[in-house]
């Protein structure tokens, strides 16, 4: 079942005995961060989930000063979860069972940050982008990829963290600046929203059946679901979405269409309009799908037609050429018995009235010279009457010249 409704989080504000006055932000800053209408973390998840979830009921605890120095705490809490648990243990007034996630934020650097059973952060992590990314992991999302061989970190996979339009590539994304809770954004991409069960089926366009046709499809900017229309299009192996540099997408460089692999299973993969330069934005006039192959073999081709920024919509032209169904003709089926369609290394045949696949037989070795000799003899027999040549089946009249086969073919000897 898709995640729905309030996802309460507890934010624990922590500091050490050797930095008792350290305070990156007052506690009221974090309270506003999880309050609706502030442009903060709660508003982000309402927008990113298309209204499916929120952080209503979240609470902020602290600032609380521990009775340990930073060095002593780190020595006793070496791992990420250790540091989160170390905070939980010092806030007995907080009931962990009441919350979807506990976020432990420290006033000084604790040498690590991220999610593991909860979220761990330092003094610079009280922003929407960091916290939304890590909460995304808590909610069940994974890192997003492109198809390049680039590595964001030495320990990461090629392409990991390189969808700059998706929150699950933070901290390598196009986020905004200048807001109280910046960096903020971007939103989730459409495949990730769909994977979480938050993308309504009625707001996803997809072609029906396998008939050749051309469709003009308008997509609404993903940040503006209040506008009626489709928020995404699922076209064969691709999912398309329209993005504009507004609201939580304000950090994007330009309005654009994005194409992803249709399914985030579990990681989403963005497709480049210019793979040589790792450009992922698709602009009017650009098309995805090779025209030569889709016309010849069937398939789909999508062209970005135009953007209407006032209406917050983009138009796509979807061209579909039906794939020809496999066909075994009458003669093949009922006379020869062997079809012309290779499947899985075999051939389609008719056996006991059923179409089955059998391995391709390995030909036995042949004597080429003997084969040619026999073919020549048969040709002579067919061309002249037996009484002229004196042939009998399987024999040659004595006195007739024999046929010899040399390296270049048959010759008289």
């Amino acid at each position: 079942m898709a995640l729905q409704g309030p996802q309460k989080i507890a934010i624990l504000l922590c500091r050490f005995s050797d930095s008792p006055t350290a305070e990156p932000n007052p506690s009221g800053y974090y309270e506003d961060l999880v309050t609706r209408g502030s442009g903060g973390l709660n508003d982000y998840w309402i927008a990113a989930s298309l209204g499916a979830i929120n952080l209503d009921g979240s609470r902020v605890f602290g600032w609380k000063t521990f009775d340990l120095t930073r060095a002593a705490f780190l020595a006793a809490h070496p791992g990420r979860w250790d540091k989160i648990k170390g905070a939980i243990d010092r806030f007995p007034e907080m009931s962990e069972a009441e919350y979807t996630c506990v976020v432990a934020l420290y006033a000084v650097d604790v040498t690590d940050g991220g999610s593991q059973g909860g979220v761990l952060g330092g003094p610079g992590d009280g922003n929407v982008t960091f916290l939304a990314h890590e909460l995304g992991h808590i909610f069940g999302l994974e890192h997003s990829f492109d198809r390049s061989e680039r590595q964001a970190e030495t320990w990461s996979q090629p392409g990991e963290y390189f969808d700059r339009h998706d929150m699950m590539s933070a901290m390598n994304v196009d986020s905004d600046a200048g807001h109280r809770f910046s960096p903020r954004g971007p939103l989730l991409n459409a495949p990730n929203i769909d994977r979480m069960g938050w993308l309504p089926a009625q707001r996803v366009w997809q072609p029906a059946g396998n008939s050749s046709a051309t469709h003009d499809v308008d997509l609404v900017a993903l940040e503006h679901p209040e506008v009626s229309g489709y928020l995404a299009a699922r076209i064969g192996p691709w999912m398309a979405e329209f993005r504009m540099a507004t609201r939580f997408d304000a950090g994007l460089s330009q309005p654009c269409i994005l194409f992803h692999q249709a399914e985030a299973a579990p990681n989403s993969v963005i497709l480049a309009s210019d793979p040589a330069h790792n450009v992922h934005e698709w602009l009017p006039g650009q098309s995805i799908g090779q025209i030569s192959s889709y016309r010849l073999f069937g398939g789909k081709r999508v062209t970005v037609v135009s953007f209407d920024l006032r209406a917050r919509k983009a138009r796509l032209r979807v061209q579909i050429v039906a794939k020809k169904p496999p066909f075994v003709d009458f003669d093949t089926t009922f006379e020869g018995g062997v079809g012309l369609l290779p499947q899985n290394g075999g051939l389609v045949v008719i056996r006991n009235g059923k179409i089955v696949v059998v391995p391709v037989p390995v030909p036995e070795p042949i004597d080429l010279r003997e084969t040619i000799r026999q073919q020549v003899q048969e040709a002579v027999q067919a061309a002249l009457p037996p009484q002229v040549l004196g042939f009998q089946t399987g024999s040659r009249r004595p006195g007739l010249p024999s046929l010899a086969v040399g390296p270049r073919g048959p010759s008289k000897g």
Side-chain angles (χ1 to χ4, degrees):
M1 179 179 292
L3 200 64
Q4 298 284 333
Q7 308 298 315
K8 298 194 298 182
I9 67 171
I11 298 180
L12 312 182
L13 304 177
C14 314
R15 54 193 176 192
F16 302 115
S17 61
D18 52 349
S19 54
T21 61
E23 192 172 293
N25 298 289
S27 58
Y29 168 94
Y30 302 95
E31 291 168 357
D32 291 345
L33 182 67
V34 294
T35 299
R36 282 186 186 235
S38 67
L41 193 60
N42 196 349
D43 290 334
Y44 175 84
W45 278 109
I46 293 170
S49 69
L50 300 177
I53 67 169
N54 57 70
L55 305 184
D56 294 351
S58 298
R59 285 191 60 188
V60 177
F61 299 82
W63 292 93
K64 178 173 286 190
T65 302
F66 296 175
D67 58 356
L68 290 174
T69 65
R70 173 182 179 274
F73 180 84
L74 294 182
H77 303 81
R80 182 176 297 174
W81 169 246
D82 297 327
K83 297 176 178 67
I84 298 170
K85 185 64 165 60
I88 292 172
D89 291 343
R90 287 164 175 78
F91 285 85
E93 67 273 29
M94 187 276 301
S95 174
E96 185 181 357
E98 293 182 16
Y99 299 95
T100 301
C101 177
V102 173
V103 179
L105 296 179
Y106 287 85
V108 297
D109 178 43
V110 289
T111 72
D112 193 8
S115 57
Q116 186 178 354
V119 175
L120 172 67
D125 293 332
N127 60 75
V128 170
T129 298
F130 173 83
L131 292 173
H133 175 86
E134 300 305 337
L135 283 175
H137 285 307
I138 298 297
F139 296 153
L141 289 160
E142 305 290 352
H143 291 154
S144 45
F145 282 70
D146 74 357
R147 287 178 168 176
S148 74
E149 293 301 312
R150 298 174 293 172
Q151 285 184 271
E153 303 288 348
T154 56
W155 43 263
S156 61
Q157 287 289 323
E160 190 174 8
Y161 297 101
F162 280 105
D163 183 349
R164 298 191 64 85
H165 302 78
D166 178 63
M167 178 57 75
M168 297 316 294
S169 277
M171 308 292 287
N172 187 39
V173 291
D174 292 332
S175 53
D176 74 4
H179 191 275
R180 183 185 181 195
F181 301 119
S182 289
R184 303 185 312 160
L187 292 177
L188 297 172
N189 60 45
N192 271 332
I193 300 174
D194 188 50
R195 177 172 178 261
M196 294 299 294
W198 298 333
L199 186 58
Q202 66 271 22
R203 302 204 69 176
V204 180
W205 182 89
Q206 52 188 342
N210 183 47
S211 297
S212 299
T214 298
H215 308 271
D216 282 350
V217 181
D218 290 338
L219 295 185
V220 174
L222 204 56
E223 181 60 290
H224 290 276
E226 74 279 3
V227 178
S228 62
Y230 295 112
L231 291 170
R234 183 179 283 108
I235 308 162
W238 313 306
M239 181 172 278
E241 65 200 62
F242 178 45
R243 305 288 285 272
M244 290 177 58
T246 60
R247 299 179 180 174
F248 285 105
D249 272 349
L252 303 188
S253 60
Q254 61 184 334
C256 60
I257 289 289
L258 301 177
F259 287 98
H260 292 83
Q261 290 182 185
E263 306 295 335
N267 305 85
S268 69
V269 180
I270 193 169
L271 307 179
S273 58
D274 180 1
H277 298 94
N278 299 308
V279 176
H280 299 130
E281 295 89 350
W282 296 74
L283 304 177
Q286 294 182 304
S287 299
I288 187 170
Q290 293 296 324
I291 191 168
S292 57
S293 62
Y294 102 97
R295 282 182 174 172
L296 185 60
F297 302 109
K300 299 170 178 67
R301 178 175 170 85
V302 185
T303 300
V304 182
V305 177
S306 62
F307 296 159
D308 184 344
L309 301 185
R310 180 172 295 181
R312 296 180 171 83
K313 291 186 177 182
R315 175 159 293 181
L316 303 179
R317 181 156 295 142
V318 181
Q319 296 167 281
I320 301 172
V321 174
K323 293 183 179 179
K324 185 176 180 180
F327 177 73
V328 179
D329 61 35
F330 184 88
D331 291 340
T332 299
T333 303
F334 295 101
E335 293 184 9
V338 178
L340 303 177
L341 300 175
Q343 291 188 1
N344 302 320
L347 293 175
V348 174
V349 302
I350 307 301
R351 180 177 292 167
N352 296 327
K354 296 181 180 180
I355 297 179
V356 297
V357 178
V358 298
V360 177
V362 178
E364 296 182 0
I366 62 172
D367 185 334
L368 182 59
R369 294 189 179 202
E370 177 62 20
T371 299
I372 295 175
R373 187 188 68 79
Q374 292 177 0
Q375 289 178 347
V376 171
Q377 285 188 341
E378 291 171 0
V380 173
Q381 285 180 301
L384 296 175
Q387 60 269 29
V388 174
L389 293 178
F391 275 113
Q392 294 181 358
T393 303
S395 67
R396 179 174 61 86
R397 181 178 174 182
L400 286 178
S402 63
L403 297 175
V405 179
R408 298 181 181 274
S411 65
K412 287 186 178 181

